[in-house]
Amino acid sequence: MYRNSVIRSAALSFAISLSLGAPSAFAADQATASASTVAVQRKAVAQGVYELAFSPKQSAVFVASSGGFGDAARPSQVLRLNPETLAVETTIPLERKAFGVVLDDANNRLYVGNTVDTSVTVVDTATNKSVGIVQLMEKKVGKDGKAAYTHDLRELVVDGANNRLYVTGHSGEGSVLFVVDTQSLKVINTIPGLGNAKAPGLALDAKAKRVYTSNLLAELVTVGTDSGKVEQRFKVSAEQPMNISLDPAGKRLFVTDQGSEMIRKYQASSSGFESKHPGQRVLVLDRTTGKELASIPTDAGPLGILLDAPRKRLYVTNRDGGTVTAYNSDTYKQVATYAVPTHPNSLALDAKKNVLYVTVKNGDSEPKGSEESVARIAL
């Protein structure tokens, strides 16, 4: 039933590589901007930088650092950065490697996904301390006689008002949605049915009581937070649907469709699914029907996605293109491109000041063990 340790290691490496105020006056037909006309700051901060979050309450940027892998790996930590200078103000030590993050600013909580341990570390952002670990599942003994986790993690979303955290657990034998009570820090449900493949995308509509997930079988799967089960499943034309951003005022979902050769090989080997579409786009879907509303071309390797609904701006990180692209979210016209080489990864927004923060992964040309970066884009 369970993969041997070699396959497990390869799958885990793949999972990690997938790694997860009032509007100002902003003309809808603004001309395309380039990095030369926009203030872009950048600072190397730590090894193994992954996702980040901006806290208006704490006036800080929180960044997950796994510390890297191998002999040169450093301790895992969450970095608290000054939002103006990107200087490291505080380091928060973690027992387990950090990858995905989600912020519950109202309750001073940062939830950090520990992909390799199938757990979540809870950080108090007011005291800058780790206050607990939620173990989402226990190891199981496989046919090789070794104990291992059958699922790994990527994205997290939080419903602070209702004390719920949702985390996708990936497995080629059946991805699941973990539901955590954020008061007791206990897993209260494990919902099956997300598909027999990686389920990289995750978005929450707390008001509608729905969680939206994507999987690498070209599906959009909707889970009811009230029913605790899969409510809808749609085949979509995005064959590599990755991150998801939700339009809070309508029915739209924005999904990055990556078009990666590595993912094509994973799809073929794990599920027999043949990915033919070149991807490199954002697919706009009606989340109630799965219908395609638009296809927006991007630079190479789109991954992270963030919607600034009040300003009608959609931002996308293009890992292989080394850029962040911006679009008018109503017309789908590209309005700006920001150069942030080598591999821009995750996004966070200071909505009041209209500043975008981006984690940037190193490429093969950087020295092994060198620190990775955070960029600040004054939009």
Side-chain angles (χ1 to χ4, degrees):
M1 177 179 179
Y2 306 114
R3 297 181 177 129
N4 62 39
S5 59
V6 174
I7 297 177
R8 168 69 183 172
S9 177
L12 184 56
S13 296
F14 173 75
I16 292 169
S17 73
L18 295 182
S19 354
L20 140 230
S24 64
F26 202 100
D29 58 351
Q30 180 188 21
T32 299
S34 68
S36 63
T37 62
V38 175
V40 179
Q41 297 169 242
R42 181 165 171 168
K43 188 175 181 63
V45 294
Q47 286 186 349
V49 166
Y50 284 90
E51 294 192 347
L52 77 172
F54 173 75
S55 167
K57 188 175 181 180
Q58 302 296 332
S59 187
V61 179
F62 293 95
V63 185
S65 166
S66 71
F69 294 90
D71 295 338
R74 299 175 188 172
S76 180
Q77 57 192 340
V78 168
L79 308 172
R80 179 175 176 142
L81 307 184
N82 182 293
E84 300 295 331
T85 67
L86 302 181
V88 177
E89 296 182 330
T90 305
T91 58
I92 305 169
L94 303 180
E95 295 179 16
R96 301 180 177 186
K97 289 188 176 296
F99 297 94
V101 302
V102 67
L103 177 68
D104 180 359
D105 212 21
N107 293 305
N108 299 326
R109 289 291 184 268
L110 182 75
Y111 298 95
V112 183
N114 313 127
T115 293
V116 297
D117 297 293
T118 316
S119 63
V120 175
T121 298
V122 186
V123 171
D124 186 316
T125 57
T127 63
N128 299 313
K129 293 181 179 179
S130 171
V131 294
I133 294 176
V134 184
Q135 188 64 52
L136 300 175
M137 69 183 307
E138 299 302 325
K139 291 181 178 180
K140 294 184 179 180
V141 177
K143 292 181 179 180
D144 59 2
K146 296 180 180 180
Y149 296 110
T150 58
H151 292 65
D152 51 62
L153 311 179
R154 188 169 183 271
E155 294 293 277
L156 311 86
V157 293
V158 66
D159 181 356
N162 292 302
N163 305 309
R164 292 292 182 268
L165 174 72
Y166 301 94
V167 188
T168 47
H170 295 183
S171 171
E173 297 167 356
S175 291
V176 301
L177 185 69
F178 297 110
V179 185
V180 176
D181 183 311
T182 57
Q183 291 185 314
S184 66
L185 297 184
K186 301 291 185 183
V187 178
I188 59 173
N189 200 2
T190 300
I191 302 171
L194 301 193
N196 293 339
K198 299 287 185 185
L202 184 62
L204 169 69
D205 185 343
K207 185 177 180 180
K209 299 180 180 180
R210 291 292 182 267
V211 168
Y212 299 92
T213 70
S214 62
N215 67 41
L216 295 182
L217 295 173
E219 292 181 326
L220 174 69
V221 181
T222 306
V223 176
T225 60
D226 50 352
S227 67
K229 64 181 183 180
V230 171
E231 296 289 349
Q232 291 180 302
R233 182 186 303 274
F234 300 114
K235 277 287 185 182
V236 296
S237 61
E239 294 179 353
Q240 297 183 12
M242 300 298 288
N243 287 24
I244 301 173
S245 190
L246 181 148
D247 179 1
K251 297 180 179 180
R252 294 180 301 172
L253 286 179
F254 299 90
V255 185
T256 49
D257 184 9
Q258 193 162 80
S260 162
E261 187 59 33
M262 179 182 68
I263 294 177
R264 287 192 184 93
K265 291 178 180 178
Y266 163 79
Q267 290 170 310
S269 64
S270 66
S271 61
F273 178 83
E274 187 176 0
S275 175
K276 297 179 179 179
H277 195 282
Q280 298 187 19
R281 62 174 177 163
V282 170
L283 191 66
V284 187
L285 300 173
D286 182 320
R287 64 179 182 261
T288 64
T289 65
K291 179 182 177 182
E292 180 178 331
L293 302 177
S295 178
I296 309 171
T298 66
D299 290 348
L303 178 63
I305 189 165
L306 186 152
L307 175 65
D308 182 358
R311 292 187 178 88
K312 299 182 180 181
R313 286 295 177 266
L314 182 71
Y315 301 101
V316 178
T317 61
N318 304 289
R319 278 183 57 93
D320 296 335
T323 61
V324 173
T325 42
Y327 305 85
N328 181 303
S329 60
D330 282 354
T331 67
Y332 308 134
K333 178 182 177 182
Q334 184 171 331
V335 295
T337 299
Y338 311 104
V340 281
T342 296
H343 300 305
N345 191 68
S346 177
L347 296 164
L349 180 71
D350 178 347
K352 184 177 180 180
K353 293 184 178 180
N354 200 23
V355 173
L356 195 65
Y357 298 94
V358 189
T359 52
V360 186
K361 305 290 293 177
N362 286 342
D364 293 337
S365 61
E366 279 84 9
K368 186 176 180 180
S370 59
E371 293 184 336
E372 296 182 321
S373 304
V374 173
R376 181 186 190 274
I377 304 173
L379 301 165

